[in-house]
Amino acid sequence: MAARVPIGCEPVVGSLTPSRKKEYRVTNRLQEGKRPLYGVVFNFIDSRYFNVFATVGGNRVTVYQCLEGGVIAVLQSYIDEDKDESFYTVSWACNIDGSPFLVAGGINGVIRVIDAGKEKIHKSFVGHGDSVNEIRTQPLKPSLVLSASKDESVRLWNVHTGICILVFAGAGGHRNEVLSVDFHPTDIYRIASCGMDNTVKIWSMKEFWTYVEKSFTWTDLPSKFPTKYVQFPLLIASVHNNYVDCNRWLGDFILSKSVDNEILLWEPKMKEQSAGEGTGDVLQKYPVPECDIWFIKLSFDYHYKTAAIGNREGKIFVWEVQTSPPTLIAKLSHVQSKQPIRQTAMSFDGSTILSCCEDGTIWRWDVVATTS
């Protein structure tokens, strides 16, 4: 029998014994409504709004502010005209003049761009043929957003002009729902997507970048823009044996998770000569017990030092991601938090963690100042 992993190349597995480097306690719990909350996200785009976050659930997008002493203030609420809309994802972006935008999508496949500065809908993007599972913003150019859809495609949009610039789909594209997508933190041309076909695909926009630039100066109707199809990824990696519902870049490495109670950190490796074929060299594993249902997303602090992820039993695991072996900083649980946590959000410095739950609640955890 041939060994699958050479000796010395086994992934390093993190221990589930918390280091207790930090301790968190619940400082607030809000019941937003009856419908499940699928997304919660802090604004990392604009330093004026680092303590502002948004949630989505049902046909509602709500904006809050985290204040001292565990206080959460409601700032704005948007209710979609379609009562059957169910938003699954929300991301902060901004117009070219710097005004804060919220970009939300869900079951209807229509992407709503909300101008949070003017408190009105800026644009609606119609293009996806099915529901939108995730929206992410390009941190280096926050007028660009990516959307991942059930229609097996990823689309790149310009929120300023309303143009669909690129569609990542076709011969080399995903063969089932796309569940997650992410921009590379420093390489502006590179993105990663993953989904129900069990693969993670890495794509390059380099040869199509002129279209991205053209989208900012386009004055004709958005529908007349020469949207380009990108059919072939740089690499297709099969590091999971089931749905991959979240992928995030960590430098040039990727953190991804499936329904196997763990997050994997791996290095994408291109195979010479064969375009698209590649492997993922798994470096580390971060166990997350009772995390065996799909559509559970992880979040990070601004500097990607720490990750937080919920599970189906209402617990949160806080991992230090850049140590080897990985360090579990804290395991957060509360007797009243028993529902699946679909997404968490970490504040800029990681001192506040928010979770949004299946029962329509938002929980706030704050780091406890320890006297050493």
Side-chain angles (χ1 to χ4, degrees):
M1 194 177 111
R4 287 184 52 209
V5 180
I7 289 175
C9 300
E10 304 91 348
V12 183
V13 182
S15 160
L16 279 167
T17 306
S19 70
R20 306 184 76 120
K21 272 191 182 172
K22 285 184 183 170
E23 298 205 7
Y24 291 83
R25 66 183 179 93
V26 174
T27 56
N28 204 331
R29 173 177 176 262
L30 277 178
Q31 182 77 44
E32 189 179 288
K34 294 276 187 283
R35 292 170 77 172
L37 295 176
Y38 287 112
V40 57
V41 61
F42 273 105
N43 186 343
F44 284 174
I45 302 293
D46 190 325
S47 57
R48 293 174 296 176
Y49 310 119
F50 278 168
N51 64 350
V52 174
F53 69 93
T55 61
V56 283
N59 63 338
R60 184 189 299 257
V61 181
T62 314
V63 184
Y64 298 91
Q65 190 170 20
C66 273
L67 300 169
E68 292 296 309
V71 176
I72 297 175
V74 183
L75 300 182
Q76 298 172 6
S77 185
Y78 301 91
I79 295 169
D80 198 86
E81 59 206 21
D82 182 352
K83 68 180 191 315
D84 295 324
E85 175 64 284
S86 177
F87 288 118
Y88 295 151
T89 179
V90 62
S91 186
W92 290 94
C94 72
N95 208 344
I96 52 167
D97 65 2
S99 54
F101 279 1
L102 273 167
V103 190
I107 202 165
N108 283 348
V110 177
I111 295 170
R112 302 286 191 194
V113 182
I114 298 162
D115 186 330
K118 297 190 174 129
E119 301 196 36
K120 65 181 181 61
I121 295 280
H122 171 71
K123 279 183 168 50
S124 295
F125 299 160
V126 180
H128 279 299
D130 216 321
S131 51
V132 173
N133 290 317
E134 187 160 71
I135 295 168
R136 299 282 288 169
T137 302
Q138 165 56 268
L140 307 168
K141 253 190 198 304
S143 305
L144 298 176
V145 299
L146 281 169
S147 53
S149 171
K150 187 176 178 177
D151 69 7
E152 304 183 0
S153 79
V154 169
R155 286 175 180 250
L156 177 72
W157 307 85
N158 183 320
V159 295
H160 171 58
T161 54
I163 285 167
C164 178
I165 310 163
L166 301 173
V167 180
F168 301 85
H174 284 284
R175 291 280 168 267
N176 205 329
E177 291 198 38
V178 191
L179 297 176
S180 183
V181 68
D182 198 34
F183 285 100
H184 190 285
T186 53
D187 179 347
I188 203 160
Y189 306 123
R190 199 164 287 216
I191 68 168
S193 61
C194 62
M196 284 191 181
D197 60 4
N198 304 1
T199 67
V200 178
K201 294 177 191 271
I202 294 172
W203 308 78
S204 174
M205 300 186 268
K206 196 164 192 176
E207 58 183 288
F208 307 101
W209 198 251
T210 51
Y211 292 90
V212 176
E213 288 171 340
K214 195 186 282 183
S215 75
F216 284 91
T217 54
W218 189 256
T219 51
D220 207 339
L221 289 168
S223 56
K224 294 193 172 162
F225 186 85
T227 300
K228 201 81 184 135
Y229 270 76
V230 183
Q231 295 208 54
F232 296 99
L234 289 177
L235 177 138
I236 302 170
S238 300
V239 291
H240 299 278
N241 302 317
N242 210 319
Y243 295 170
V244 192
D245 60 358
C246 190
N247 66 198
R248 297 287 181 262
W249 291 95
L250 185 67
D252 289 331
F253 300 146
I254 288 179
L255 279 160
S256 58
K257 65 165 283 288
S258 180
V259 291
D260 308 314
N261 303 312
E262 62 185 6
I263 302 162
L264 301 184
L265 175 70
W266 53 279
E267 183 178 11
K269 295 242 170 111
M270 315 285 169
K271 276 189 185 157
E272 297 301 319
Q273 268 72 53
S274 57
E277 283 304 303
T279 58
D281 185 7
V282 179
L283 306 171
Q284 302 204 138
K285 294 184 175 184
Y286 307 76
V288 186
E290 280 75 50
C291 197
D292 50 7
I293 55 173
W294 66 279
F295 212 89
I296 288 184
K297 313 273 185 178
L298 58 150
S299 69
F300 299 88
D301 61 350
Y302 183 82
H303 292 292
Y304 280 75
K305 296 271 187 283
T306 317
I309 184 164
N311 71 2
R312 70 171 155 79
E313 293 194 336
K315 295 183 173 66
I316 300 169
F317 292 80
V318 186
W319 282 100
E320 203 168 337
V321 287
Q322 297 189 33
T323 58
S324 186
T327 312
L328 184 68
I329 295 173
K331 181 176 130 184
L332 314 182
S333 60
H334 188 280
V335 67
Q336 287 174 304
S337 176
K338 291 280 180 257
Q339 294 289 317
I341 294 169
R342 295 295 181 180
Q343 195 170 32
T344 59
M346 296 197 89
S347 62
F348 184 89
D349 61 359
S351 61
T352 296
I353 297 172
L354 304 170
S355 63
C356 62
C357 305
E358 200 90 317
D359 59 0
T361 55
I362 301 162
W363 292 71
R364 175 175 171 178
W365 298 76
D366 281 300
V367 80
V368 178
T370 51
T371 51
S372 52

